[in-house]
Amino acid sequence: MIELAVRNLIPGLPDEIAMECLIRVPYIFHSNMKSVCHTWQNLLSSLSFYQERIKSGTAEQLVCQIQPLPSPSPPSQEEEEEEEDSTLVVSKFPRLGNIKKEDEDQHHQQQQVQEINNTPLQYGLSIYNYNNQTWQRIRPNFGSVPMFCQCVTLQSCGKLLLLGGWDPTTLEPVPDVYVLDMVKGPSWRRAAPMLVARSFFACAVVGGGKVFVAGGHDNQKNALKSAEVYDVEADEWRMLPEMEEERDECQGMCLDGDDRFWVVSGYGTESQGRFRDDAECYDPATGIWSKIDGVWPFPSISPRGTTTPIASNNSTSRKQCQWLWFLSKEQQILQQQHGGLNLIAKEYEGKERKVSSIVGLPNTIVGTSPCVSVTRLGDCAKGNNKGEQRVFVMTGNGSRGTSSSSSSSSSSSSCSECEGEGAFIMERDNRNGNTKWTHVHMPAGFSGFPYSASHILI
């Protein structure tokens, strides 16, 4: 339990019981709760309060996504007043199943107007609350969210970062970095910029407190070898040794239990669109990059967003770190034609074994080779079944709201009211590999395919 410097959190209640009440209040109300008194403000602005929520199993799982926005509508007087009074504006969001048909029609009309006017897409930060099954959009106070920026979260300090991308006006790569403090705020601040302006780069949180980036391209569309690391607490960037190869549109990862930065596939300046089959791995302990061959067998498919690492605790074997690939039927056939996977397992002889596994997408969304955005959901400590993993999946071509499970699935579900925007929750039992897909109802205004996504427990 949190040690309290000031007693009487709720008059008339013991502090232990008062704390049990406060940690159960949904996160969306925390900003208002901070206005009640200084005691509550100090409590809800402390990281230990949110760590207690995680420990008790009351923390909420938030999927944070960078999405293109519908064409802007003129703000109402109420919205203009809210924007003047706050640096952070949270849009009203409906419960699942309460979306009106006229709202969907208006959204599609806005998309058509935007296409006719040929105006650049505007991007925003959307948040899906897995626990409450609600959607919201957070409007930053620094203007427009950079196009194609990377979104990463640091669970250790309760912060979300937006990095790089394109300036929405000039369409030039930017080095900008913005931090959303979800504990002390929620509030935005502009952080120290990256040392190199870049877009379409690999990015991952390593060791809980450092953000590594590598590759991407510059303002001349030249693929980059450069890499750098950001210390969030010190607000400082430091250049790393260059990778061996140029890697544009590469995938960044950190495997569970392995404090190394993986940069998967990508392509060079002279081979745009032809993805490499190898990866490079940076070890912070030695400061050396290592190349691993045969990691990505799809020369015409980008690895971005289609993968997630998970930890598997199996009582019959040692701990494994698995890299899940989410592929359509056509992509699985292509993979089989390349002779199967031989991902990095041989690289770890004598240590925890690292293996890869293919997860088939629901039958409703595999008509073509869809774009996929994959975000692993976390686990609260209380009542968690360590044998199960949950993943949030969005695709570039939606379905009509029914989800058919793959051959190893145990069940399926449907959503009769949804227009099929292509969002799903996958539950996977690591003990036997069985998967279950559940369709997520999504408001039309949140249906844009996310360029980048991450997850935080709060």
Side-chain angles (χ1 to χ4, degrees):
M1 183 64 65
I2 302 173
E3 295 184 5
L4 302 175
V6 181
R7 300 292 177 177
N8 296 321
L9 282 173
I10 300 178
L13 287 180
D15 285 333
E16 291 77 10
I17 297 177
M19 180 62 66
E20 288 294 320
C21 296
L22 293 178
I23 63 176
R24 283 166 170 76
V25 177
Y27 176 72
I28 192 172
F29 299 116
H30 287 192
S31 293
N32 293 335
M33 292 172 63
K34 292 176 183 178
S35 302
V36 172
C37 61
H38 289 296
T39 301
W40 283 20
Q41 182 182 36
N42 293 335
L43 176 66
L44 272 73
S45 298
S46 66
L47 186 61
S48 58
F49 177 79
Y50 294 93
Q51 291 171 339
E52 186 69 20
R53 279 167 59 87
I54 295 174
K55 181 180 178 181
S56 66
T58 59
E60 296 164 58
Q61 306 204 46
L62 307 182
V63 177
C64 309
Q65 302 185 120
I66 301 300
Q67 289 182 299
L69 304 176
S71 297
S73 301
S76 65
Q77 182 177 355
E78 179 183 353
E79 291 172 332
E80 289 176 345
E81 291 174 354
E82 287 179 351
E83 189 166 4
E84 291 176 359
D85 296 337
S86 175
T87 58
L88 179 73
V89 178
V90 180
S91 67
K92 303 296 187 296
F93 55 95
R95 297 284 300 180
L96 297 193
N98 292 337
I99 312 303
K100 296 180 180 179
K101 184 65 168 66
E102 53 265 29
D103 293 335
E104 295 174 353
D105 293 339
Q106 182 182 12
H107 168 64
H108 293 306
Q109 290 174 2
Q110 289 173 337
Q111 284 187 323
Q112 293 174 357
V113 170
Q114 192 170 46
E115 292 174 359
I116 293 173
N117 294 337
N118 197 27
T119 56
L121 283 174
Q122 298 294 311
Y123 280 68
L125 173 62
S126 304
I127 294 181
Y128 170 67
N129 189 312
Y130 170 79
N131 299 78
N132 300 332
Q133 298 184 343
T134 52
W135 294 82
Q136 67 184 114
R137 179 159 291 125
I138 294 182
R139 187 184 306 163
N141 62 356
F142 52 78
S144 299
V145 170
M147 300 174 66
F148 310 123
C149 67
Q150 291 277 12
C151 171
V152 297
T153 53
L154 287 95
Q155 185 66 58
S156 61
C157 57
K159 294 177 180 178
L160 178 145
L161 276 66
L162 306 184
L163 305 97
W166 290 0
D167 183 289
T169 302
T170 66
L171 304 184
E172 296 282 340
V174 296
D176 301 339
V177 178
Y178 303 95
V179 177
L180 175 62
D181 192 327
M182 305 186 75
V183 172
K184 295 182 178 180
S187 60
W188 291 96
R189 69 175 176 87
R190 183 186 288 268
M194 293 187 292
L195 302 176
V196 176
R198 63 179 81 226
S199 187
F200 292 88
F201 53 91
C203 181
V205 176
V206 179
K210 299 289 194 303
V211 180
F212 285 72
V213 302
H217 65 249
D218 60 18
N219 59 0
Q220 300 297 318
K221 299 298 187 292
N222 294 315
L224 300 171
K225 295 182 181 180
S226 63
E228 47 191 306
V229 59
Y230 178 59
D231 186 318
V232 178
E233 295 304 317
D235 192 27
E236 293 178 349
W237 286 91
R238 176 173 58 87
M239 291 300 298
L240 300 175
E242 287 190 343
M243 296 183 292
E244 183 177 333
E245 304 289 346
E246 297 176 341
R247 297 183 184 271
D248 194 3
E249 290 198 46
C250 43
Q251 169 75 22
M253 287 199 314
C254 179
L255 302 176
D256 286 350
D258 179 10
D259 288 339
R260 297 188 293 177
F261 175 45
W262 289 82
V263 182
V264 178
S265 190
Y267 52 75
T269 304
E270 302 302 324
S271 57
Q272 289 193 16
R274 298 194 297 276
F275 291 91
R276 303 180 60 89
D277 71 347
D278 56 17
E280 293 190 53
C281 177
Y282 179 78
D283 188 344
T286 62
I288 297 175
W289 288 95
S290 303
K291 184 186 287 189
I292 298 91
D293 294 325
V295 172
W296 186 252
F298 309 110
S300 61
I301 301 175
S302 171
R304 297 184 61 83
T306 63
T307 63
T308 184
I310 66 170
S312 173
N313 292 311
N314 192 320
S315 60
T316 61
S317 64
R318 294 176 298 174
K319 179 180 178 181
Q320 293 184 347
C321 180
Q322 299 183 2
W323 179 11
L324 299 184
W325 293 6
F326 288 76
L327 302 177
S328 68
K329 287 183 178 179
E330 291 80 359
Q331 292 166 338
Q332 291 183 62
I333 293 173
L334 178 61
Q335 182 270 332
Q336 294 169 0
Q337 292 173 347
H338 280 79
L341 296 177
N342 187 25
L343 182 70
I344 63 176
K346 63 181 180 181
E347 192 75 11
Y348 290 87
E349 281 188 34
K351 302 181 182 180
E352 293 96 349
R353 188 164 177 253
K354 310 293 193 271
V355 299
S356 62
S357 178
I358 290 179
V359 177
L361 294 174
N363 294 332
T364 54
I365 58 174
V366 297
T368 58
S369 296
C371 297
V372 178
S373 174
V374 175
T375 311
R376 180 180 57 174
L377 297 176
D379 298 301
C380 289
K382 189 175 182 179
N384 174 50
N385 186 342
K386 294 296 184 180
E388 295 182 355
Q389 296 284 345
R390 291 187 297 272
V391 178
F392 181 85
V393 180
M394 278 190 68
T395 65
N397 55 339
S399 66
R400 284 292 303 174
T402 58
S403 65
S404 300
S405 47
S406 60
S407 58
S408 60
S409 298
S410 59
S411 65
S412 62
S413 63
S414 63
C415 174
S416 60
E417 298 180 6
C418 185
E419 289 298 320
E421 302 295 351
F424 296 84
I425 299 291
M426 184 212 73
E427 296 178 73
R428 183 175 189 266
D429 191 331
N430 290 326
R431 295 164 297 188
N432 53 31
N434 290 343
T435 61
K436 179 180 72 174
W437 290 92
T438 303
H439 190 267
V440 175
H441 188 76
M442 181 168 49
F446 294 87
S447 62
F449 179 70
Y451 169 75
S452 178
S454 59
H455 166 272
I456 191 169
L457 281 166
I458 199 72

